[in-house]
Every structure is written in structure tokens, then in C-alpha cells.
Amino acid sequence: MLTGLEAAYTKPALMTQLSTDAPIVVGLSGGVDSAVAAALLVEQGHQVIGITMRLYDAQGSTAASGRCCGPRDITDARKVCDVLDIPFYVVDFADEFQEAVVDDFVDTYLRGHTPNPCIRCNQSIKFTPLLRRARQLGAETLVTGHYARIETDGDRLLLRRGVDRQKDQSYFLFSMPTSELASIQFPLGGYDKDETRKMAERFGLPNATKKDSQEICFVPDGDYAGFVEKAASKRGLSLPIAGDIVTEEGEVVGRHKGVHRYTIGQRRGIGDVKLAGGGPAYVTRLDVPGNRLIVGPAGEAPAPRFTIEGVRWFIEQPRAELETMVQLRHRGAPVAATVFPDGETAVVQLQADAIAAPGQAAVFYDGDTVQGGGWIR
């Protein structure tokens, strides 16, 4: 049973007022953040139901740390629900996860692009299917432990950064279904990680000191290239083979081990490549049809103008160009840019050098408010 709740937190969760009549489903990853989100709701008198997603088979490993939604995490989530004295369910989304996230991860690398499976998971798995299950249990609201905020501005709901910029996860959420914003809450958006840890200890949660997830959950050993090769072989897909590393002028300066092992802007892992100017070599382009890795000096790596696809907007879609700030990777510094919308695509013109890796997301911000984003083509 949960005890000591009256001293558990020092400020109210930054959430829309929730009814205590209808149950609330909390998506539990097994980590400390979602556990604290559930504990806050219990303290406030809500009927809370914990749900954990079974997404993949971690090859029987229960000891791996730094990941989420694995077998050990399901056990940890169950223990949290025991402490909070709330119902606990496990839902199997393994097939959906395989198709929308894992297969996309493999296919994107084989195209010579750099995938972002966490965003794909938020887009296709963590909200719409999970919210559907929540409603089947009579819940109207789904809560997660993301460090982001959903706030009202008149009759509009806005997605904003979490106040802890080191933990802010709004970049990963740009592709979440905007139609479901009214049914989703992020209680931790107004806290920093240290506060969350302290609340977990006061709540007596069993995972209060558990390390944060760092690696991609379905790659147990962190060997992305090896995972892609094994997964592609199981699906009967052709694997990239070794080929030439060349400069933009076509000079062969080395050999690569398969273009799926590299990403634009990469410096390490390309061997002892010598450039004419004597400086370090960076990957500037992947020529998948020609099986070539194109390299050059740092000044050649940035792509100041590029196209994005699968564009989503949290604001009314602009009818003309939009002056904004664009973030190209998690924890990356936003870069001033002009966006030229065209339906589900847009052209992004950066106003400073930055590396835009195909397959990654470009997310637009006005201050701490997410305006929209898309996938770099």
C-alpha cells in the first residue's frame, strides 16, 4: 500500500483538471518517470490503472539496463502497481511494434538513412493503440511520464517543452496524433529529473533509483549494424556489401563495411581516411545505388536546404513561408530557418550550418512551443 503521500511533492502537477470519477490509464514503461506520474494521480484521489506494453522479445534477457519495455521492465511496472495498490495490465503490441518500428528501423538503414525509432513508436504505438485500450477500460485519459507539457491557449491545445531542458522529450513527440491531445496528460512536464527522483523516494517506489533508458530498446547489445544485418537476413532482404569511400571528386580514399553502418556527419568509424587538405574526413553523403560512402571536410557536411515529408502541424498550417527555429536531433540546438509548406511536404532553408541526416526528424519551435515537424528526405 502507498504511504506518506501527503509529503510527496512540492508543487502541483501541471495538468488540465481531471475528473476523479472516470478511471485514468497510466502507460508504465517500468522506469521511474511513469511510476511517479501514476503515484501523483493516486495521491490526488484518481482511479488509476497501470498498463505496460509488451513490444518485443529481448532474446530472453532480463538483466539488460538502459532500455525500456523489456521483460524486466514489465516486472518492475507490476511491482510499482503493487505498491500503489492499483490494477495492472499487460497489452501485447509486439506485431504492431515489429511492423511500425522495427521493420522501419531496418528498412531506413538499408536505404542509407538514419532512423529514429523512438519517434516512430510515439507516432504509431504509444498513443493511439494504447489510448484505444484505455477507453475499453472506461478511461477518458491516458497519462505517460514524458517530459513535455500540453497546455491550453484559448480553445487550442499546445505541445510545449518540458521545463527540464536536459530531459525535454517534445522532439520525440512531434508526430503524435494531434487529434488525441485532449485525452493525453504529461504530469512531469513541470518538473526536473532531480525532483522526480526525490518524489519516487518519498513515494517508496521500488524503481526509485533505476537508471534511465539510454539505448534503443530492441537492440539488446547496442550493435545497430549487426541487428540490421540479422533482421534483414531473416526477411530475405539484400544486405549492403563493402565498397569504396570516395571524395566528392571521385577519388577513392578507403573502403567501407556497408553503407548501413554510417550516417551523414559521422567522423569516427570510417577508418584511416586521408583528405588532400589534411583535415579529418566526415561522411557527407551516402550513395546507396553506387554502394559508395562520400566523405569530405567538415565544411561540406552541412545541408542548409532540404525537404521534409510526413509533415504534421500543432498550429494551423501556414499558408506562406514560416520563420521559425528548427531542431534536427534530440538535445540539438535549434537553428533559425525558413519553412516553405507544401501539403504533407515542406522545404526547410536553414540560416546557419547544421547537419540534416535523412531519416531523422526536423521539428519546428516557437520558443518552447512545438509548431510541427517532418521527416528529413
Side-chain angles (χ1 to χ4, degrees), residues 151-170:
E151 298 181 354
T152 57
D153 180 19
D155 59 355
R156 182 185 295 275
L157 287 171
L158 301 177
L159 175 64
R160 288 183 165 147
R161 292 188 186 274
V163 298
D164 186 344
R165 286 297 298 269
Q166 293 300 311
K167 299 300 298 182
D168 170 51
Q169 294 172 299
S170 60

Side-chain angles (χ1 to χ4, degrees), residues 29-219:
S29 66
V32 64
D33 299 325
S34 56
V36 169
L40 286 170
L41 293 170
V42 171
E43 193 279 338
Q44 294 168 0
H46 296 287
Q47 304 175 51
V48 180
I49 300 171
I51 290 185
T52 291
M53 299 178 293
R54 180 180 288 114
L55 299 179
Y56 65 96
D57 179 4
Q59 302 180 355
S61 172
T62 60
S65 61
R67 290 157 181 84
C68 66
C69 302
R72 194 190 88 175
D73 300 296
I74 294 175
T75 299
D76 289 346
R78 187 185 304 275
K79 291 178 180 178
V80 167
C81 290
D82 288 343
V83 170
L84 298 179
D85 195 25
I86 61 175
F88 175 68
Y89 296 89
V90 178
V91 293
D92 191 341
F93 287 155
D95 291 343
E96 294 91 335
F97 186 78
Q98 178 70 37
E99 179 178 354
V101 181
V102 180
D103 289 351
D104 176 81
F105 178 86
V106 174
D107 294 342
T108 301
Y109 264 125
L110 293 180
R111 289 197 302 269
H113 294 176
T114 306
N116 195 314
C118 294
I119 297 179
R120 291 295 188 189
C121 186
N122 287 329
Q123 176 178 333
S124 303
I125 305 297
K126 283 189 177 177
F127 292 105
T128 299
L130 194 55
L131 188 55
R132 187 182 307 122
R133 294 297 180 94
R135 287 168 175 158
Q136 291 172 354
L137 294 172
E140 299 175 355
T141 303
L142 171 66
V143 167
T144 71
H146 285 92
Y147 286 86
R149 294 173 291 160
I150 297 174
E151 298 181 354
T152 57
D153 180 19
D155 59 355
R156 182 185 295 275
L157 287 171
L158 301 177
L159 175 64
R160 288 183 165 147
R161 292 188 186 274
V163 298
D164 186 344
R165 286 297 298 269
Q166 293 300 311
K167 299 300 298 182
D168 170 51
Q169 294 172 299
S170 60
Y171 174 81
F172 293 115
L173 296 168
F174 93 89
S175 63
M176 66 182 290
T178 56
S179 61
E180 305 288 13
L181 279 182
S183 300
I184 298 169
Q185 297 280 354
F186 302 135
L188 301 187
Y191 295 96
D192 62 36
K193 186 69 180 195
D194 288 342
E195 290 177 301
T196 299
R197 291 283 187 192
K198 290 176 182 177
M199 287 189 287
E201 293 174 358
R202 290 170 182 159
F203 281 127
L205 298 177
N207 57 358
T209 60
K210 187 175 181 179
K211 293 182 179 180
D212 292 343
S213 299
Q214 299 292 338
E215 301 294 339
I216 296 174
C217 62
F218 54 87
V219 185

Side-chain angles (χ1 to χ4, degrees), residues 123 174-178 309-314 364 371-374:
Q123 176 178 333
F174 93 89
S175 63
M176 66 182 290
T178 56
E309 57 192 3
V311 176
R312 297 195 179 198
W313 295 99
F314 283 88
F364 318 140
Q371 297 171 302

Side-chain angles (χ1 to χ4, degrees), residues 341-356:
D342 184 15
E344 294 186 358
T345 66
V347 172
V348 179
Q349 176 68 62
L350 301 182
Q351 298 175 19
D353 286 343
I355 297 172

